[in-house]
Amino acid sequence: TLVSGGLAAPPMIPVPTATGVSAQIVLAGPGARAMAFVIDWLLRAALTAVYLLIASFLLLGNLSGNIEMDEMTSWYLFGVIPASIIYFLYHLVLEPLMAGRTPGKRLAGLRILATSGHVPSVGALMTRNVFRIVDSLPVGYVVGLLFVIFGKRHLRLGDLAAGTVVAVERAPFLEKLARTRREPGVFIALDELEPRR
């Protein structure tokens, strides 16, 4: 739906607030989600690369990655395995610690929420991340991307399985859209929601 001023109304879900006023949470679209994903991917790739360089220097005495046969076991135990843990557990660890955010989501102004509007449980966040395996098929998150692009709420399979949404936590355009539609107060900041873990 287009409104005057050329702004499109984003998908929203109604949520209860501490004041009892009816409010809407704005759901993130494919562009914002993709931006957050790219930032997070670059960060976890950089963290993994830095760890491997440090491990190479400490374990092998060089930064070229030349591994002698007698160093192979220690390289895998203290180099490859920890680096893999950093890369693959990035979301699984940070999302519960940062209350539904990652550095990429924070920079993009996004946050993962339960459909009730509250911070998801650790179990829901774990379910969401386990489904990354399916969403990433066959390569490059094709399955997840198709669901986000063509779904009404822009949810990937992990969101559907976990009962979560990716919400816009801060976006100046929402205030402009509310003014354009002459509906003040229809959008709320996420910190106005009734806190519940």
Side-chain angles (χ1 to χ4, degrees):
T1 303
L2 294 177
V3 295
S4 59
L7 292 170
M12 296 175 284
I13 56 171
V15 292
T17 66
T19 60
V21 177
S22 178
Q24 303 282 343
I25 289 296
V26 180
L27 304 183
R33 290 185 65 139
M35 181 172 71
F37 175 83
V38 169
I39 294 170
D40 279 324
W41 184 85
L42 290 172
L43 284 173
R44 64 179 177 158
L47 286 171
T48 303
V50 167
Y51 179 85
L52 285 173
L53 286 173
I54 293 171
S56 179
F57 179 75
L58 294 177
L59 295 172
L60 309 176
N62 64 70
L63 298 178
S64 62
N66 293 328
I67 307 169
E68 301 293 334
M69 285 300 293
D70 60 339
E71 298 171 323
M72 197 71 72
T73 301
S74 61
W75 173 244
Y76 277 100
L77 284 176
F78 302 108
V80 175
I81 292 175
S84 299
I85 289 171
I86 291 171
Y87 186 82
F88 289 107
L89 297 187
Y90 175 92
H91 289 276
L92 199 60
V93 171
L94 289 181
E95 286 175 0
L97 287 179
M98 297 179 67
R101 303 179 188 92
T102 57
K105 286 184 178 66
R106 183 181 284 277
L107 288 171
L110 307 181
R111 184 176 182 180
I112 302 164
L113 294 175
T115 52
S116 63
H118 297 96
V119 176
S121 66
V122 173
L125 290 172
M126 289 181 67
T127 300
R128 185 178 188 275
N129 279 290
V130 167
F131 269 80
R132 283 185 187 278
I133 298 169
V134 180
D135 281 314
S136 63
L137 295 174
V139 291
Y141 274 82
V142 170
V143 171
L145 187 60
L146 290 174
F147 270 83
V148 168
I149 290 173
F150 295 108
K152 289 183 179 180
R153 291 188 171 185
H154 306 309
L155 305 178
R156 62 178 179 83
L157 282 174
D159 291 311
L160 295 171
T164 57
V165 296
V166 177
V168 177
E169 188 164 31
R170 60 181 193 280
F173 83 90
L174 294 178
E175 295 178 7
K176 182 177 180 181
L177 180 57
R179 287 195 300 271
T180 303
R181 299 177 69 187
R182 297 181 180 177
E183 295 179 11
V186 71
F187 306 117
I188 63 167
L190 296 187
D191 56 10
E192 291 179 36
L193 291 173
E194 198 175 321
R196 188 179 74 190
R197 296 291 176 118

